[in-house]
Amino acid sequence: MPNIKPRYMVLFLTRRCNMRCPQCIFRLYEKNFFTNEDMDVSFGKEIISYYERYGIKELFLTAEGEPLLYESLPEMLSFSKKKKFERIHLNTNGLLLHQYADDIVKYVDSIYISVDGYNRETYKNYRECDAFDKVIENISTLVQKNKNTSGRLFISIACVIHDKNIHYIEKLIQLAERLQVNRIEFFNFHALMKTLSECKPLYQSRSTKNYFETIKSRHYDVEIVLPSLLGNKRKFFCENLFNWIIVGARGDFSPCCQIPPHQKFGNFRDDPELFIKKEVRHFKTAFNNAESINDLYYSCRECNGLSPENDIFFPDRKIWTKRYPTSHCSYSFFPCIV
Protein backbone atom coordinates (compact mmCIF):
# COMPACT_ATOMS: atom_id res chain seq x y z
CA MET A 1 0.00 0.00 0.00
CA PRO A 2 1.40 3.46 -0.88
CA ASN A 3 3.16 5.20 1.99
CA ILE A 4 1.38 8.56 1.75
CA LYS A 5 0.84 10.69 4.81
CA PRO A 6 -2.63 12.24 4.50
CA ARG A 7 -2.76 15.95 3.81
CA TYR A 8 -6.52 16.47 4.07
CA MET A 9 -9.18 15.74 6.67
CA VAL A 10 -12.93 15.72 6.14
CA LEU A 11 -14.94 16.19 9.31
CA PHE A 12 -18.69 15.61 9.17
CA LEU A 13 -20.39 17.78 11.79
CA THR A 14 -23.98 16.54 11.65
CA ARG A 15 -26.30 13.92 10.19
CA ARG A 16 -29.11 16.43 9.66
CA CYS A 17 -30.18 17.80 6.30
CA ASN A 18 -32.76 20.30 5.05
CA MET A 19 -33.01 18.72 1.58
CA ARG A 20 -33.78 15.27 0.23
CA CYS A 21 -31.83 15.21 -3.03
CA PRO A 22 -32.42 12.01 -5.03
CA GLN A 23 -28.72 11.64 -5.95
CA CYS A 24 -27.41 12.16 -2.39
CA ILE A 25 -24.84 9.44 -1.62
CA PHE A 26 -26.09 9.08 1.95
CA ARG A 27 -29.69 8.50 0.89
CA LEU A 28 -28.60 6.16 -1.88
CA TYR A 29 -26.94 3.96 0.70
CA GLU A 30 -29.78 4.23 3.23
CA LYS A 31 -33.16 5.83 2.45
CA ASN A 32 -33.76 7.02 6.03
CA PHE A 33 -30.15 7.97 6.62
CA PHE A 34 -30.61 11.44 8.12
CA THR A 35 -31.09 11.81 11.87
CA ASN A 36 -30.98 14.67 14.36
CA GLU A 37 -27.46 13.76 15.48
CA ASP A 38 -24.81 16.45 15.81
CA MET A 39 -21.16 15.96 16.67
CA ASP A 40 -20.45 17.04 20.23
CA VAL A 41 -18.43 20.25 20.09
CA SER A 42 -15.74 19.05 22.50
CA PHE A 43 -15.42 15.80 20.55
CA GLY A 44 -15.06 17.71 17.29
CA LYS A 45 -12.37 19.91 18.79
CA GLU A 46 -10.55 16.83 20.06
CA ILE A 47 -10.54 15.33 16.56
CA ILE A 48 -9.37 18.56 14.94
CA SER A 49 -6.59 19.03 17.49
CA TYR A 50 -5.38 15.45 17.15
CA TYR A 51 -5.05 15.54 13.39
CA GLU A 52 -3.50 18.99 13.40
CA ARG A 53 -0.72 17.50 15.56
CA TYR A 54 -0.63 14.52 13.20
CA GLY A 55 0.25 16.86 10.36
CA ILE A 56 -3.00 17.47 8.43
CA LYS A 57 -2.64 20.61 6.30
CA GLU A 58 -6.17 21.27 5.07
CA LEU A 59 -9.47 20.82 6.89
CA PHE A 60 -12.84 20.26 5.19
CA LEU A 61 -15.82 20.94 7.42
CA THR A 62 -18.95 19.41 5.98
CA ALA A 63 -21.73 17.02 6.98
CA GLU A 64 -23.48 13.76 6.36
CA GLY A 65 -26.20 16.18 5.34
CA GLU A 66 -25.96 19.98 5.60
CA PRO A 67 -23.21 21.55 7.77
CA LEU A 68 -25.00 24.88 8.19
CA LEU A 69 -27.59 23.07 10.32
CA TYR A 70 -24.83 22.56 12.90
CA GLU A 71 -25.60 25.23 15.46
CA SER A 72 -22.05 25.29 16.82
CA LEU A 73 -20.54 25.92 13.38
CA PRO A 74 -19.23 29.43 14.24
CA GLU A 75 -17.47 28.06 17.32
CA MET A 76 -15.96 25.20 15.34
CA LEU A 77 -14.80 27.54 12.57
CA SER A 78 -13.22 29.94 15.05
CA PHE A 79 -11.49 27.07 16.84
CA SER A 80 -10.16 25.61 13.57
CA LYS A 81 -8.89 28.97 12.36
CA LYS A 82 -6.59 29.19 15.39
CA LYS A 83 -4.91 25.95 14.38
CA LYS A 84 -2.05 25.66 11.91
CA PHE A 85 -4.09 24.47 8.92
CA GLU A 86 -3.10 26.02 5.61
CA ARG A 87 -6.72 26.19 4.48
CA ILE A 88 -10.19 25.60 5.85
CA HIS A 89 -12.87 24.51 3.39
CA LEU A 90 -16.65 24.34 3.74
CA ASN A 91 -19.29 22.53 1.66
CA THR A 92 -22.96 23.53 1.71
CA ASN A 93 -26.19 23.51 -0.27
CA GLY A 94 -26.39 27.26 0.36
CA LEU A 95 -29.89 27.40 1.79
CA LEU A 96 -28.75 28.82 5.14
CA LEU A 97 -25.79 30.88 3.97
CA HIS A 98 -27.45 34.11 5.11
CA GLN A 99 -27.26 32.94 8.74
CA TYR A 100 -23.50 32.34 8.74
CA ALA A 101 -22.15 34.67 6.05
CA ASP A 102 -20.15 36.81 8.49
CA ASP A 103 -18.47 33.77 10.07
CA ILE A 104 -17.76 32.19 6.69
CA VAL A 105 -16.08 35.30 5.32
CA LYS A 106 -14.07 35.62 8.52
CA TYR A 107 -12.88 32.05 9.04
CA VAL A 108 -13.21 30.04 5.80
CA ASP A 109 -10.68 30.01 2.94
CA SER A 110 -12.83 28.33 0.29
CA ILE A 111 -16.45 27.32 0.06
CA TYR A 112 -18.25 24.94 -2.29
CA ILE A 113 -21.95 25.63 -2.84
CA SER A 114 -23.98 22.95 -4.61
CA VAL A 115 -26.22 24.30 -7.36
CA ASP A 116 -27.50 21.62 -9.72
CA GLY A 117 -29.72 23.75 -11.91
CA TYR A 118 -29.64 27.12 -13.70
CA ASN A 119 -33.23 28.17 -12.88
CA ARG A 120 -36.08 27.18 -10.55
CA GLU A 121 -37.33 24.37 -12.75
CA THR A 122 -34.00 22.66 -13.46
CA TYR A 123 -32.90 23.10 -9.84
CA LYS A 124 -36.08 21.51 -8.54
CA ASN A 125 -35.64 18.56 -10.91
CA TYR A 126 -32.46 17.47 -9.09
CA ARG A 127 -33.00 18.92 -5.61
CA GLU A 128 -36.72 18.19 -5.23
CA CYS A 129 -37.26 21.48 -3.42
CA ASP A 130 -38.14 24.98 -4.61
CA ALA A 131 -35.09 26.72 -3.12
CA PHE A 132 -33.29 28.07 -6.17
CA ASP A 133 -34.15 31.73 -5.68
CA LYS A 134 -33.12 31.69 -2.02
CA VAL A 135 -29.83 29.92 -2.71
CA ILE A 136 -28.95 32.35 -5.51
CA GLU A 137 -29.85 35.31 -3.29
CA ASN A 138 -27.60 33.89 -0.55
CA ILE A 139 -24.69 33.40 -2.95
CA SER A 140 -25.03 36.96 -4.23
CA THR A 141 -25.03 38.28 -0.68
CA LEU A 142 -21.96 36.22 0.23
CA VAL A 143 -20.07 37.41 -2.86
CA GLN A 144 -20.82 41.02 -2.04
CA LYS A 145 -19.93 40.61 1.64
CA ASN A 146 -16.64 39.01 0.64
CA LYS A 147 -15.85 41.94 -1.68
CA ASN A 148 -16.67 44.43 1.07
CA THR A 149 -14.30 42.78 3.55
CA SER A 150 -11.02 41.01 2.90
CA GLY A 151 -12.00 39.38 -0.39
CA ARG A 152 -9.98 36.34 0.66
CA LEU A 153 -12.82 33.80 0.51
CA PHE A 154 -12.67 31.66 -2.65
CA ILE A 155 -16.25 30.92 -3.72
CA SER A 156 -17.08 27.96 -5.96
CA ILE A 157 -20.32 26.55 -7.31
CA ALA A 158 -20.38 22.76 -7.57
CA CYS A 159 -22.63 20.91 -10.02
CA VAL A 160 -23.11 17.20 -10.69
CA ILE A 161 -23.32 16.44 -14.41
CA HIS A 162 -24.55 13.24 -16.07
CA ASP A 163 -26.14 12.05 -19.28
CA LYS A 164 -29.49 13.66 -18.45
CA ASN A 165 -28.26 17.20 -17.75
CA ILE A 166 -25.02 17.66 -19.72
CA HIS A 167 -26.78 20.40 -21.70
CA TYR A 168 -27.00 22.46 -18.48
CA ILE A 169 -23.27 23.22 -18.51
CA GLU A 170 -23.22 26.39 -20.62
CA LYS A 171 -26.21 27.95 -18.83
CA LEU A 172 -24.66 27.09 -15.46
CA ILE A 173 -21.45 28.81 -16.54
CA GLN A 174 -23.48 31.88 -17.44
CA LEU A 175 -25.12 31.75 -14.01
CA ALA A 176 -21.70 31.59 -12.33
CA GLU A 177 -20.54 34.60 -14.33
CA ARG A 178 -23.59 36.62 -13.31
CA LEU A 179 -23.04 35.71 -9.66
CA GLN A 180 -19.34 36.67 -9.96
CA VAL A 181 -18.12 33.63 -8.07
CA ASN A 182 -14.51 32.53 -8.49
CA ARG A 183 -15.15 29.11 -9.99
CA ILE A 184 -17.77 26.70 -11.19
CA GLU A 185 -16.82 23.05 -10.93
CA PHE A 186 -18.64 20.21 -12.67
CA PHE A 187 -18.43 16.74 -11.17
CA ASN A 188 -19.17 13.68 -13.25
CA PHE A 189 -22.04 11.68 -11.76
CA HIS A 190 -20.73 8.87 -9.61
CA ALA A 191 -22.72 5.64 -9.86
CA LEU A 192 -22.36 4.05 -6.42
CA MET A 193 -24.41 0.94 -7.14
CA LYS A 194 -25.84 -0.52 -10.32
CA THR A 195 -29.55 -0.05 -9.63
CA LEU A 196 -29.68 3.13 -7.56
CA SER A 197 -30.21 5.73 -10.26
CA GLU A 198 -31.43 6.18 -13.80
CA CYS A 199 -28.63 8.64 -14.46
CA LYS A 200 -25.38 7.58 -16.08
CA PRO A 201 -21.94 9.19 -15.86
CA LEU A 202 -20.24 10.80 -18.84
CA TYR A 203 -17.86 8.67 -20.88
CA GLN A 204 -15.32 9.56 -23.54
CA SER A 205 -17.74 9.65 -26.45
CA ARG A 206 -16.99 11.72 -29.54
CA SER A 207 -20.08 13.89 -29.05
CA THR A 208 -19.18 14.71 -25.44
CA LYS A 209 -15.57 15.50 -26.33
CA ASN A 210 -16.71 17.75 -29.17
CA TYR A 211 -19.09 19.55 -26.82
CA PHE A 212 -16.27 20.15 -24.33
CA GLU A 213 -13.97 21.40 -27.08
CA THR A 214 -16.61 23.95 -28.02
CA ILE A 215 -16.75 25.17 -24.42
CA LYS A 216 -12.94 25.35 -24.21
CA SER A 217 -12.81 27.49 -27.36
CA ARG A 218 -14.65 30.35 -25.66
CA HIS A 219 -13.62 32.96 -23.14
CA TYR A 220 -15.31 33.15 -19.75
CA ASP A 221 -15.10 35.46 -16.75
CA VAL A 222 -15.07 32.59 -14.25
CA GLU A 223 -12.77 29.64 -13.61
CA ILE A 224 -14.28 26.39 -14.93
CA VAL A 225 -13.57 22.78 -14.10
CA LEU A 226 -15.19 20.46 -16.61
CA PRO A 227 -16.20 16.96 -15.47
CA SER A 228 -13.69 14.19 -15.94
CA LEU A 229 -14.76 11.66 -18.56
CA LEU A 230 -14.60 7.95 -17.85
CA GLY A 231 -13.27 5.17 -20.03
CA ASN A 232 -10.11 3.29 -21.07
CA LYS A 233 -8.99 2.50 -17.53
CA ARG A 234 -5.82 0.50 -17.24
CA LYS A 235 -3.92 0.47 -13.95
CA PHE A 236 -5.44 2.20 -10.98
CA PHE A 237 -4.14 4.70 -8.49
CA CYS A 238 -6.33 6.98 -6.40
CA GLU A 239 -4.54 9.59 -4.37
CA ASN A 240 -7.88 10.50 -2.78
CA LEU A 241 -7.92 7.12 -1.12
CA PHE A 242 -4.56 7.57 0.58
CA ASN A 243 -4.40 11.33 1.05
CA TRP A 244 -7.57 11.86 3.09
CA ILE A 245 -8.81 11.14 6.61
CA ILE A 246 -12.60 11.07 6.80
CA VAL A 247 -14.43 11.14 10.13
CA GLY A 248 -18.20 11.06 10.52
CA ALA A 249 -20.43 12.87 13.01
CA ARG A 250 -20.42 9.78 15.27
CA GLY A 251 -16.65 9.48 15.07
CA ASP A 252 -16.73 6.60 12.59
CA PHE A 253 -14.18 6.48 9.78
CA SER A 254 -14.67 6.06 6.06
CA PRO A 255 -12.04 4.92 3.56
CA CYS A 256 -13.41 7.13 0.79
CA CYS A 257 -15.36 10.34 0.27
CA GLN A 258 -18.00 8.37 -1.65
CA ILE A 259 -18.70 5.91 1.17
CA PRO A 260 -20.55 7.10 4.30
CA PRO A 261 -18.63 6.67 7.57
CA HIS A 262 -19.57 3.46 9.37
CA GLN A 263 -18.68 1.69 12.57
CA LYS A 264 -17.30 -1.25 10.60
CA PHE A 265 -14.39 1.00 9.58
CA GLY A 266 -13.62 1.84 13.20
CA ASN A 267 -14.18 4.86 15.42
CA PHE A 268 -11.88 7.68 16.50
CA ARG A 269 -12.71 7.00 20.15
CA ASP A 270 -11.30 3.49 19.89
CA ASP A 271 -8.14 4.43 18.00
CA PRO A 272 -7.47 7.71 16.12
CA GLU A 273 -5.31 5.82 13.61
CA LEU A 274 -7.91 3.29 12.53
CA PHE A 275 -8.10 5.26 9.28
CA ILE A 276 -5.01 3.24 8.22
CA LYS A 277 -5.75 0.02 10.08
CA LYS A 278 -8.04 -3.01 9.97
CA GLU A 279 -11.09 -2.58 7.69
CA VAL A 280 -9.97 0.70 6.16
CA ARG A 281 -6.57 -0.76 5.40
CA HIS A 282 -8.22 -3.86 3.93
CA PHE A 283 -10.36 -1.67 1.65
CA LYS A 284 -7.37 0.34 0.46
CA THR A 285 -5.16 -2.73 0.00
CA ALA A 286 -7.84 -4.43 -2.10
CA PHE A 287 -8.02 -1.34 -4.29
CA ASN A 288 -4.25 -1.18 -4.61
CA ASN A 289 -4.07 -4.84 -5.66
CA ALA A 290 -6.81 -4.59 -8.29
CA GLU A 291 -5.72 -5.85 -11.71
CA SER A 292 -8.90 -5.00 -13.61
CA ILE A 293 -11.94 -2.80 -13.18
CA ASN A 294 -13.93 -5.85 -12.07
CA ASP A 295 -11.63 -6.24 -9.07
CA LEU A 296 -12.62 -2.81 -7.74
CA TYR A 297 -15.44 -2.10 -5.34
CA TYR A 298 -18.38 -0.89 -7.39
CA SER A 299 -18.24 2.53 -5.75
CA CYS A 300 -14.72 2.91 -7.19
CA ARG A 301 -15.43 1.79 -10.74
CA GLU A 302 -16.98 5.03 -11.97
CA CYS A 303 -15.22 7.47 -9.70
CA ASN A 304 -14.02 10.83 -11.04
CA GLY A 305 -10.62 10.19 -9.46
CA LEU A 306 -10.00 7.32 -11.88
CA SER A 307 -10.58 9.29 -15.03
CA PRO A 308 -7.90 8.60 -17.67
CA GLU A 309 -7.88 12.24 -18.76
CA ASN A 310 -4.74 14.32 -18.61
CA ASP A 311 -4.47 17.30 -16.30
CA ILE A 312 -4.83 20.19 -18.72
CA PHE A 313 -5.23 23.85 -17.88
CA PHE A 314 -6.09 26.55 -20.39
CA PRO A 315 -4.75 29.70 -18.65
CA ASP A 316 -6.14 32.17 -21.14
CA ARG A 317 -9.65 30.79 -20.64
CA LYS A 318 -9.30 29.63 -17.02
CA ILE A 319 -10.56 26.15 -17.80
CA TRP A 320 -9.36 22.85 -16.33
CA THR A 321 -10.26 19.41 -17.65
CA LYS A 322 -9.57 17.64 -14.40
CA ARG A 323 -11.57 17.36 -11.23
CA TYR A 324 -8.99 18.79 -8.84
CA PRO A 325 -7.29 21.94 -10.15
CA THR A 326 -4.37 23.59 -8.43
CA SER A 327 -4.88 27.16 -7.32
CA HIS A 328 -3.94 29.41 -4.45
CA CYS A 329 -7.32 28.70 -2.85
CA SER A 330 -7.90 25.07 -3.71
CA TYR A 331 -6.57 21.73 -2.69
CA SER A 332 -3.65 20.86 -4.86
CA PHE A 333 -3.21 17.24 -5.77
CA PHE A 334 -4.22 15.41 -8.92
CA PRO A 335 -5.79 11.95 -8.80
CA CYS A 336 -4.43 10.06 -11.77
CA ILE A 337 -4.02 6.74 -13.53
CA VAL A 338 -0.54 5.41 -14.09
Side-chain angles (χ1 to χ4, degrees):
M1 195 167 73
N3 184 23
I4 299 175
K5 187 170 184 177
R7 175 181 175 87
Y8 311 94
M9 183 179 74
V10 176
L11 185 62
F12 293 116
L13 299 174
T14 181
R15 286 173 62 103
R16 293 189 287 155
C17 195
N18 50 6
M19 291 188 180
R20 294 296 183 267
C21 306
Q23 306 304 333
C24 170
I25 67 167
F26 301 112
R27 294 189 70 217
L28 290 176
Y29 274 102
E30 184 181 340
K31 184 177 181 179
N32 298 316
F33 178 89
F34 299 124
T35 65
N36 290 322
E37 296 174 77
D38 287 338
M39 174 172 281
D40 180 77
V41 175
S42 60
F43 183 44
K45 290 180 179 179
E46 179 186 355
I47 294 172
I48 290 170
S49 297
Y50 180 89
Y51 290 119
E52 180 212 18
R53 294 192 301 270
Y54 182 84
I56 289 296
K57 302 300 182 184
E58 301 192 37
L59 173 65
F60 287 75
L61 292 176
T62 182
E64 295 157 272
E66 172 49 44
L68 300 192
L69 287 171
Y70 187 65
E71 294 180 359
S72 299
L73 179 64
E75 181 179 354
M76 200 67 80
L77 287 172
S78 175
F79 177 82
S80 301
K81 194 64 177 178
K82 295 173 185 176
K83 298 297 181 179
K84 296 178 181 178
F85 299 117
E86 294 178 7
R87 300 184 187 94
I88 297 174
H89 308 264
L90 184 67
N91 291 51
T92 176
N93 60 33
L95 194 54
L96 300 177
L97 271 175
H98 59 289
Q99 296 182 15
Y100 296 103
D102 289 336
D103 296 296
I104 291 170
V105 169
K106 184 176 181 179
Y107 298 121
V108 176
D109 295 292
S110 72
I111 184 169
Y112 272 72
I113 306 164
S114 297
V115 183
D116 292 319
Y118 57 86
N119 58 23
R120 289 180 64 185
E121 180 182 359
T122 56
Y123 183 93
K124 193 173 182 179
N125 284 343
Y126 292 100
R127 289 280 165 174
E128 295 192 351
C129 66
D130 190 10
F132 177 81
D133 291 340
K134 183 59 180 176
V135 171
I136 297 305
E137 177 188 346
N138 286 344
I139 295 173
S140 297
T141 300
L142 183 67
V143 169
Q144 191 59 49
K145 189 177 290 290
N146 186 44
K147 288 181 179 179
N148 292 340
T149 54
S150 65
R152 54 178 294 278
L153 176 65
F154 195 85
I155 303 173
S156 299
I157 290 177
C159 314
V160 176
I161 297 296
H162 43 72
D163 64 327
K164 302 282 195 304
N165 70 349
I166 184 173
H167 57 285
Y168 287 11
I169 289 179
E170 289 182 279
K171 291 184 178 180
L172 281 163
I173 293 173
Q174 293 168 8
L175 173 64
E177 289 180 309
R178 291 197 302 273
L179 289 170
Q180 297 182 323
V181 298
N182 299 96
R183 173 184 296 158
I184 182 166
E185 183 161 350
F186 298 101
F187 294 80
N188 199 348
F189 172 69
H190 187 177
L192 298 170
M193 298 179 186
K194 291 182 179 178
T195 59
L196 287 180
S197 174
E198 296 180 357
C199 301
K200 296 179 181 179
L202 303 179
Y203 286 85
Q204 291 184 323
S205 68
R206 176 170 295 181
S207 60
T208 300
K209 285 186 174 182
N210 288 341
Y211 179 50
F212 283 6
E213 288 303 318
T214 300
I215 293 173
K216 294 175 194 175
S217 68
R218 299 169 180 164
H219 176 81
Y220 302 97
D221 293 323
V222 63
E223 291 185 7
I224 301 166
V225 183
L226 293 175
S228 299
L229 301 178
L230 302 177
N232 302 321
K233 299 185 182 76
R234 300 179 298 279
K235 296 180 181 179
F236 305 97
F237 175 73
C238 180
E239 195 168 355
N240 303 26
L241 201 59
F242 301 97
N243 218 1
W244 296 74
I245 298 172
I246 302 170
V247 186
R250 296 172 176 171
D252 296 326
F253 289 105
S254 169
C256 169
C257 59
Q258 296 296 325
I259 297 176
H262 195 276
Q263 60 185 5
K264 69 181 179 181
F265 297 118
N267 190 283
F268 177 89
R269 293 181 176 91
D270 298 324
D271 182 351
E273 295 193 12
L274 281 174
F275 70 90
I276 52 172
K277 299 179 180 178
K278 296 185 178 180
E279 288 301 315
V280 176
R281 184 177 182 85
H282 175 76
F283 182 99
K284 294 180 179 183
T285 300
F287 176 93
N288 200 51
N289 293 335
E291 296 182 356
S292 74
I293 191 171
N294 294 325
D295 296 330
L296 297 174
Y297 291 95
Y298 194 83
S299 61
C300 296
R301 295 181 189 180
E302 294 183 329
C303 175
N304 289 266
L306 296 184
S307 166
E309 286 193 14
N310 296 321
D311 306 312
I312 304 173
F313 174 53
F314 300 84
D316 58 327
R317 294 186 295 279
K318 297 188 292 187
I319 297 176
W320 284 268
T321 60
K322 194 61 177 177
R323 183 180 175 188
Y324 297 114
T326 301
S327 98
H328 68 289
C329 288
S330 180
Y331 39 112
S332 56
F333 68 88
F334 293 92
C336 61
I337 285 183
V338 295

